[in-house]
Amino acid sequence: MVALNSKSKVAVFISGRGSNLKALIKNSKLKKSKYKISLVLSNKSNAKGLNFAKKNRIKNYIIEKKLSSFENRALRLIKINNIKIICLAGFMRILSSNFIKKAKIPILNIHPSLLPKLKGLNTHERAINAKHKFSGCTVHYVNEKLDSGKIIAQKKIRILKSDNPRSLAMKVLRLEHKTYAEALEKII
Ligand code: GRF
């Protein structure tokens, strides 16, 4: 059994809605969970996800600065707070290789497609336009190349004829919430 104080400290970087952050927080409250969300950083002051951090009394910071300043501040906060893993959850900036090197801890990301298919943005629209039969989500390690790091977990769902980008996004998002927590527990 994992004692409370031995739970791995996780930082989550967000830019918006924060539904994945919410799901990660919820999962972390389970007795069997091996991690604790100790820090939330947002590069946007209006990110709705900040409310989940506040409600759960998790330290949170808004850093609305150019990338290098964001990264320097983030590195300091990660060190001070003894963070062991970073999870990107709807974080809309591409971290530099310098940051990835200096952080020296695993950085995870969730992407709403079956990587390596459909890297980048607007995945649902592109999946439907390309008439893909399946979509899904992928949790992967972050490296210098966009959406290209080693895959930790992936789940798929069928795309129905009746699906549009919005309905598909909703279905994939529900899947993301499960997959991210599972992937995080798996690597600890
Ligand atoms: C998710 O679809 C995630 O896969 C992508 O951005 C979206 C973030 O949603 N990277 P939320 O902010 O976690 O609700």
Side-chain angles (χ1 to χ4, degrees):
M1 215 183 81
V2 185
L4 246 181
N5 57 6
S6 74
K7 290 195 176 203
S8 297
K9 293 186 174 179
V10 171
V12 183
F13 291 10
I14 61 167
S15 299
R17 179 177 54 188
S19 70
N20 277 290
L21 166 65
K22 185 183 177 198
L24 287 175
I25 295 172
K26 189 172 172 207
N27 181 79
S28 74
K29 290 178 181 168
L30 300 176
K31 221 175 168 187
K32 63 174 188 196
S33 174
K34 292 176 278 182
Y35 70 89
K36 175 183 181 332
I37 309 288
S38 305
L39 182 66
V40 172
L41 302 188
S42 173
N43 68 322
K44 295 275 175 210
S45 57
N46 60 357
K48 293 227 168 71
L50 284 164
N51 293 325
F52 300 123
K54 287 174 193 152
K55 252 188 227 155
N56 289 280
R57 297 201 176 80
I58 299 168
K59 270 192 199 174
N60 59 91
Y61 297 85
I62 297 160
I63 313 172
E64 269 185 322
K65 289 181 177 164
K66 65 173 185 194
L67 186 66
S68 59
S69 312
F70 175 93
E71 290 183 337
N72 286 335
R73 180 97 195 275
L75 285 170
R76 280 201 299 279
L77 287 166
I78 280 157
K79 207 161 172 203
I80 297 168
N81 291 285
N82 198 20
I83 299 297
K84 301 296 184 209
I85 299 167
I86 298 169
C87 288
L88 309 184
F91 181 65
M92 299 303 283
R93 298 204 82 161
I94 300 175
L95 294 167
S96 71
S97 50
N98 179 52
F99 177 87
I100 296 167
K101 231 186 284 156
K102 283 194 177 154
K104 291 195 189 94
I105 55 174
I107 306 174
L108 277 57
N109 182 42
I110 186 148
H111 185 76
S113 83
L114 296 171
L115 289 175
K117 285 188 191 134
L118 304 175
K119 296 174 183 178
L121 297 174
N122 305 320
T123 53
H124 308 301
E125 200 177 351
R126 285 156 62 208
I128 287 175
N129 289 345
K131 300 204 177 349
H132 288 175
K133 289 204 166 63
F134 292 94
S135 186
C137 63
T138 307
V139 178
H140 63 94
Y141 287 106
V142 171
N143 64 12
E144 319 65 55
K145 282 204 203 137
L146 183 70
D147 300 330
S148 298
K150 187 168 175 248
I151 292 175
I152 301 164
Q154 192 166 65
K155 279 196 206 293
K156 68 176 181 179
I157 50 161
R158 191 175 280 281
I159 301 178
L160 305 177
K161 286 232 166 66
S162 54
D163 271 324
N164 55 47
R166 212 181 131 85
S167 68
L168 183 58
M170 293 302 287
K171 287 186 216 171
V172 171
L173 192 64
R174 272 201 295 275
L175 204 60
E176 288 184 38
H177 297 159
K178 278 184 76 179
T179 314
Y180 214 167
E182 281 176 22
L184 184 51
E185 298 288 0
K186 183 172 140 184
I187 65 143
I188 299 172

